[in-house]
Amino acid sequence: MTRQRSERTWICLSLAALVAAALAPLVLAPFYVRVGQLVLYSAALGLAWAILGGFAGYWSFGQSAFIGIGAFVGGLAEAELATAPPALQFLVGLAAGSAACAVIAALLAYPVLRLRGIYFAIAMLGVAHVFAELNNNIDIFQGSLGLTFPNIGIAGLDPHVFYYELFLVAAAATLLAAWLIRRSRFGYGLLSIREDEDTARMLGVPTEHYKAAAFVVSAVIAGVLGLIYAHSLGYITTGSVYRDDTNLNAIVYSLLGGMGTLIGPIIGAAILVVLTHVVLGDFLDFHMFATGLLLVLLVLLAPSGLVGLARKLVGRKKVRR
Amino acid sequence: MSDDPILRIEHVTKRFRGLLAINDVSLVVPRGIIASLIGPNGAGKSTLFNLITGYAPVTAGAIFYGERPIAGLATHRIAALGIARAFQIARPFRDLSVADNLRIAGMFGKSGARDVDATARRALDLAGLAELAETPAGAMTVGQLRRLEIARAVATRPELLLADEPCAGLNPTETAELVGILREIRASGVTILLVEHDMAAVMEVSDLVFVLDAGSKIAEGTPAQVTSDPRVVAAYLGTPEPAPAASAGA
């Protein structure tokens, strides 16, 4: 009963936050709308990463591989339909990018998900670098030359606002997907894998299938986000999407906010993006140092993230009462 | 005892490179009983559990669950058929609550996704852990963890429960409680194959005892039969120390 009530409260709060976020561009300056885009993009990426990393405990350092595949395969598919309306191009790009991510993730799943812990993380970093190099060096991908993307915005609407709203839809859809997974049999199976994979298998959890499915879902969402990101930029090269800082940040969002939670990556992304782009944005030489220092302090002082810290404080308060 | 065995192990051998861990072992476990597997450390008891659950492949031989051959099946498929295992060292999902540990077991195993909450509640009650339902498993005592381990295996609704040293490290009161839980589980129709070093507990609950030594089965029978078997006495039970002789001149 308590669980159901708490779930209802979270649903109401999430819907209220969604409406507030959708209306925010009405009052935000253009710079902050752009920051909002990055917050939403990063939050969705963090959530996509968390489906495998937070729920199943498989920390990927190579999420950018799928961002890049989604962006470039989608962009190339769109280029084939250059005369079609931009919205149709985008839909075809989404289908092609998602399908490419799904197929490649499914093929990669068997070899890489046999590895655990740091070995899996490093293998995924290698995968991301291999795909970046292929993208840069095989002419058909145009990675070094770059790809342009048409504006798919609505006439009369500021493109920044349009992409902000598009990122909001993507982030909300990702949150919904992560929430549905988290409360499903599949989600509980992933949690059991994170806790103890051998025991999970012994209880009847089809661990190999579940890990592969989580890997594919996470990859497809990253690919979709990559294509939207590419459209919001208008032009990308390999370096725009195959980025090591994105690989790292996807993990940091969960570490900062709360590993394995749904709200954690959102809080983590919001804090890190606002910190690096707004608070420390004027201190270009200093902001990486300050951000790194803050992360080290947070990991030391709140190893379970801000959500974990908040739960601990609330727990202490209840005990005092 | 039933003529319809729940588990048949036929000439099973397991070799780890040069080490012969299980040597041509055959045994039959009838339905509805508590059977125990005893023997000194290194006899191959836990290895045999690993082979039954598919955690390790057999080198030779066959294992039948009912009429179905299960050697070579994936571990999760064997669990789905109705074989559950409780580990020697409790392996709870530490960051999850006790109830979530049991819910996960109820969602998988043989039970599938039917009546997950009811299954979890029954397992909680059986193990006497109802009051700890929302406690993180990582915060429990050794005795509570043992009961959770058994309850979680039961929540998969098995027909055969493999319990690996459930009484190890427990005090006499906790051991008695656990023996009571095992009896209750058997009464609900679950067959139990028990690995245990606590001989008092083994003799108290077992209907049938198998004795392994150095990977081979050296005896089987009722508790009374195996305890009087000279090979078992020599390999495992040992002979009681003779009473000290009265001192000269006393």
Side-chain angles (χ1 to χ4, degrees):
Chain A
M1 204 63 190
T2 315
R3 186 180 279 232
Q4 282 171 347
R5 199 178 303 150
S6 145
E7 205 168 80
R8 269 202 298 273
T9 309
W10 275 109
I11 291 170
C12 291
L13 283 173
S14 302
L15 288 175
L18 185 65
V19 171
L23 297 174
L26 294 175
V27 293
L28 289 178
F31 169 72
Y32 290 103
V33 173
R34 181 67 190 144
V35 171
Q37 282 181 24
L38 282 178
V39 167
L40 293 166
Y41 167 66
S42 304
L45 267 186
L47 280 165
W49 179 89
I51 290 171
L52 184 70
F55 296 171
Y58 274 72
W59 290 26
S60 167
F61 272 71
Q63 197 73 345
S64 72
F66 300 109
I67 298 170
I69 291 166
F72 271 91
V73 172
L76 290 167
E78 289 185 26
E80 294 295 315
L81 296 170
T83 53
L88 179 64
Q89 286 183 44
F90 176 63
L91 290 176
V92 170
L94 268 186
S98 310
C101 286
V103 170
I104 292 170
L107 291 174
L108 279 174
Y110 182 72
V112 296
L113 288 168
R114 292 168 70 89
L115 304 170
R116 292 188 189 180
I118 194 69
Y119 301 103
F120 170 74
I122 298 298
M124 282 308 298
L125 184 62
V127 165
H129 278 253
V130 166
F131 276 99
E133 287 304 316
L134 291 174
N135 198 70
N136 228 9
N137 291 293
I138 296 178
D139 289 346
I140 192 174
F141 293 120
Q142 300 178 39
S144 49
L145 188 65
L147 271 184
T148 52
F149 289 79
N151 178 19
I152 52 169
I154 299 166
L157 185 64
D158 178 353
H160 287 316
V161 174
F162 171 78
Y163 284 113
Y164 172 94
E165 300 294 351
L166 192 56
F167 276 123
L168 180 62
V169 170
T174 308
L175 177 62
L176 179 66
W179 179 68
L180 289 173
I181 289 172
R182 173 67 182 78
R183 66 202 301 272
S184 68
R185 183 173 187 250
F186 175 45
Y188 275 102
L190 293 179
L191 290 183
S192 70
I193 291 170
R194 180 189 73 191
E195 293 291 312
D196 185 336
E197 193 167 338
D198 294 331
T199 302
R201 200 176 294 133
M202 211 62 85
L203 291 175
V205 180
T207 54
E208 302 307 322
H209 299 152
Y210 274 27
K211 286 188 300 184
F215 189 54
V216 169
V217 170
S218 176
V220 166
I221 296 173
V224 168
L225 291 167
L227 186 63
I228 298 174
Y229 181 66
H231 273 277
S232 77
L233 295 177
Y235 168 80
I236 60 164
T237 61
T238 299
S240 318
V241 280
Y242 287 95
R243 294 170 55 157
D244 276 338
D245 62 336
T246 308
N247 288 330
L248 187 63
N249 285 344
I251 302 165
V252 168
Y253 301 145
S254 279
L255 273 177
L256 194 56
M259 190 58 71
T261 63
L262 292 175
I263 192 74
I266 300 172
I267 292 173
I271 290 176
L272 204 67
V273 171
V274 170
L275 194 69
T276 52
H277 289 80
V278 180
V279 181
L280 297 169
D282 293 333
F283 304 98
L284 284 177
D285 293 332
F286 181 69
H287 91 263
M288 289 300 280
F289 167 75
T291 308
L293 184 67
L294 178 82
L295 287 175
V296 170
L297 285 175
L298 263 166
V299 169
L300 287 175
L301 299 174
S304 50
L306 293 173
V307 172
L309 185 66
R311 280 182 185 155
K312 210 165 159 183
L313 293 175
V314 170
R316 270 191 205 156
K317 211 171 172 183
K318 276 184 185 167
V319 170
R320 271 197 214 125
R321 278 180 193 165
Chain B
M1 286 180 201
S2 161
D3 292 334
D4 168 29
I6 192 163
L7 182 72
R8 270 189 300 135
I9 294 176
E10 293 186 353
H11 304 290
V12 163
T13 294
K14 176 64 186 175
R15 196 180 281 279
F16 294 105
R17 299 192 182 189
L19 176 74
L20 189 59
I22 297 289
N23 182 18
D24 194 30
V25 167
S26 297
L27 54 88
V28 176
V29 179
R31 277 181 199 277
I33 67 162
I34 298 182
S36 289
L37 200 54
I38 62 170
N41 288 329
K45 307 180 295 290
S46 294
T47 302
L48 199 57
F49 271 16
N50 287 342
L51 301 180
I52 296 168
T53 53
Y55 194 69
V58 299
T59 306
I63 302 175
F64 295 90
Y65 175 63
E67 289 302 314
R68 182 170 182 163
I70 56 169
L73 283 185
T75 301
H76 72 273
R77 293 200 188 284
I78 292 174
L81 290 175
I83 298 180
R85 177 177 185 175
F87 284 96
Q88 179 179 355
I89 296 166
R91 293 170 72 164
F93 300 139
R94 290 187 170 273
D95 287 342
L96 305 183
S97 69
V98 170
D100 277 346
N101 268 267
L102 298 177
R103 267 189 209 111
I104 289 171
M107 287 175 185
F108 297 92
K110 190 174 171 62
S111 54
R114 286 177 292 121
D115 302 331
V116 170
D117 284 331
T119 305
R121 242 192 330 271
R122 273 198 298 275
L124 272 175
D125 291 339
L126 172 78
L129 295 171
E131 286 181 4
L132 297 170
E134 296 309 320
T135 306
M140 296 170 83
T141 64
V142 173
Q144 289 166 342
L145 284 176
R146 280 286 154 75
R147 281 188 276 153
L148 173 60
E149 187 74 11
I150 295 282
R152 193 173 58 181
V154 169
T156 63
R157 294 192 187 171
E159 289 172 3
L160 174 63
L161 169 64
L162 310 180
D164 199 349
E165 295 198 41
C167 301
L170 301 186
N171 64 37
T173 313
E174 290 169 332
T175 300
E177 282 172 6
L178 206 84
V179 165
I181 291 171
L182 292 176
R183 283 206 168 110
E184 242 182 276
I185 294 169
R186 178 184 54 181
S188 69
V190 177
T191 307
I192 298 174
L193 183 56
L194 178 72
V195 164
E196 187 52 68
H197 281 294
D198 184 329
M199 291 314 294
V202 168
M203 296 307 150
E204 192 183 334
V205 296
S206 305
D207 302 297
L208 181 62
V209 180
F210 303 102
V211 188
L212 289 185
D213 182 36
S216 300
K217 188 179 81 175
I218 58 168
E220 78 171 81
T222 62
Q225 285 168 337
V226 295
T227 47
S228 57
D229 187 316
R231 287 169 304 174
V232 179
V233 172
Y236 184 49
L237 299 177
T239 45
E241 293 266 325
S247 57

